Amino acid sequence: MSPGEKLDPLPDTFILQPPVFHPVVPYVTTIFGGLRAGKMVVLQGAVPLNARRFQVDFQCGCSLHPRPDIAIHFNPRFHTTKPHVICNTLRGGHWQAEARWPHLALQKGASFLILFLFGNEEMKVSVNGQHFLHYRYQLPLSRVDTLGIYGDILVTAVGFLNISPFVEGGSEYPVGHPFLLKSPSLEVPCSRALPQGLWPGQVIIVRGLVLPEPKDFTLSLLDEAAHVPVTLRASFTDRTLAWVSRWGRKKLILAPFLFYPQRFFEKNRPGQWGNFAHYGPSGSS
């Protein structure tokens, strides 16, 4: 299977936390529930033509000072005469004995699909469906709660899976599963019912990817009579956010406009009323 091959979306039972699309590197995120044997992390992206090196770190925390321990440091290096991959562990500020793989399975200018599969005693890595390396843990896997991606890499998607979606007993090494940006169930405009309604303190989280040439997008809450009590509108023309009432009255929100074309976003919205959430074009998908 090639990195760009189209597959049906994964069943929700496999997904630990929502995938992240087009994150800005350096990128650091919490791994919900930490790592344990059986979990997998899928990384889709491409290596720039001028890449020198990048690294994927499975960290024990995300502090800057002191630097957190790094249970697994996956570090492809392209700038040497013989490109290779280094794996290592950072413990108490000191690197341990490194492991080196001389035959780099990644190429400059090429896309990739990397699968990190965590077992009881070691991590296995496949690149584009082919087993590449395995690395024995030098720190307990249970300490890992953070993923860090740094360096010369273009990331399309990061996915966190709970169990292997591959047939048990199969001899073929797992190749991962691409995450689709354009799932039919996520196309806009779309509406989603909120069976239990909303109450004060509840939060709605909306994640999306802004289109290349956006104009605006809206997020509305509807009541049972299909009325629209309030709408949140993001306008790319004048780069403003505003609340819009059912009578069309607009109230600007004094907050930075943090939406950009072809960038992933996450919006948190406290719940106050309504039974349906409606998402409208044309800024996101």
Side-chain angles (χ1 to χ4, degrees):
M1 182 185 70
S2 64
E5 183 176 345
K6 300 298 184 182
L7 297 178
D8 293 333
L10 279 172
D12 290 341
T13 52
F14 290 129
I15 300 176
L16 275 174
Q17 64 192 73
V20 178
F21 299 113
H22 296 277
V24 178
V25 177
Y27 176 72
V28 179
T29 187
T30 298
I31 301 174
F32 294 179
L35 284 184
R36 66 170 184 271
K39 289 190 178 183
M40 298 190 296
V41 173
V42 180
L43 183 64
Q44 285 179 255
V47 180
L49 286 171
N50 61 346
R52 292 179 57 82
R53 58 190 292 171
F54 72 85
Q55 64 193 65
V56 179
D57 291 342
F58 295 93
Q59 305 173 185
C60 308
C62 58
S63 65
L64 295 178
H65 302 287
R67 187 177 182 182
D69 287 347
I70 300 174
I72 303 168
H73 170 74
F74 177 79
N75 178 208
R77 301 179 181 181
F78 304 90
H79 63 284
T80 62
T81 55
K82 295 182 178 180
H84 58 279
V85 171
I86 294 293
C87 283
N88 207 338
T89 296
L90 183 70
R91 178 189 298 168
H94 300 285
W95 289 107
Q96 308 303 299
E98 68 179 24
R100 180 183 298 236
W101 284 264
H103 302 293
L104 186 56
L106 300 163
Q107 296 181 357
K108 292 183 179 182
S111 59
F112 60 76
L113 179 66
I114 302 177
L115 170 64
F116 299 92
L117 175 61
F118 300 94
N120 291 317
E121 298 180 351
E122 64 180 12
M123 172 196 70
K124 296 180 180 179
V125 179
S126 72
V127 178
N128 299 337
Q130 299 296 319
H131 174 73
F132 179 52
L133 62 83
H134 59 274
Y135 180 70
R136 192 173 184 85
Y137 308 136
Q138 299 185 54
L139 286 175
L141 190 63
S142 59
R143 289 190 55 198
V144 177
D145 59 8
T146 302
L147 170 67
I149 305 174
Y150 313 89
D152 305 323
I153 182 176
L154 300 174
V155 180
T156 302
V158 182
F160 305 87
L161 309 184
N162 192 25
I163 54 177
S164 174
F166 309 101
V167 178
E168 291 186 10
S171 59
E172 183 179 357
Y173 193 85
V175 294
H177 199 301
F179 290 89
L180 301 184
L181 297 179
K182 297 182 179 179
S183 171
S185 63
L186 298 177
E187 292 180 355
V188 292
C190 70
S191 297
R192 292 290 183 271
L194 306 174
Q196 298 180 357
L198 293 177
W199 55 87
Q202 194 175 15
V203 175
I204 297 174
I205 300 177
V206 179
R207 297 178 174 91
L209 178 68
V210 180
L211 297 178
E213 298 180 359
K215 295 180 181 179
D216 60 55
F217 73 86
T218 61
L219 170 62
S220 303
L221 295 179
L222 288 70
D223 60 21
E224 293 180 348
H227 296 139
V228 183
V230 69
T231 293
L232 173 66
R233 175 174 298 162
S235 171
F236 289 84
T237 304
D238 53 10
R239 298 186 62 77
T240 59
L241 295 172
W243 295 111
V244 181
S245 71
R246 71 172 69 179
W247 302 281
R249 182 177 299 175
K250 184 169 68 172
K251 180 180 180 181
L252 291 177
I253 300 173
L254 300 179
F257 192 85
L258 300 178
F259 301 99
Y260 297 90
Q262 295 183 297
R263 290 290 179 86
F264 174 83
F265 70 85
E266 177 177 298
K267 175 65 180 174
N268 297 340
R269 179 178 181 175
Q272 295 180 341
W273 54 76
N275 297 89
F276 294 87
H278 178 82
Y279 312 91
S282 60
S284 62
S285 61

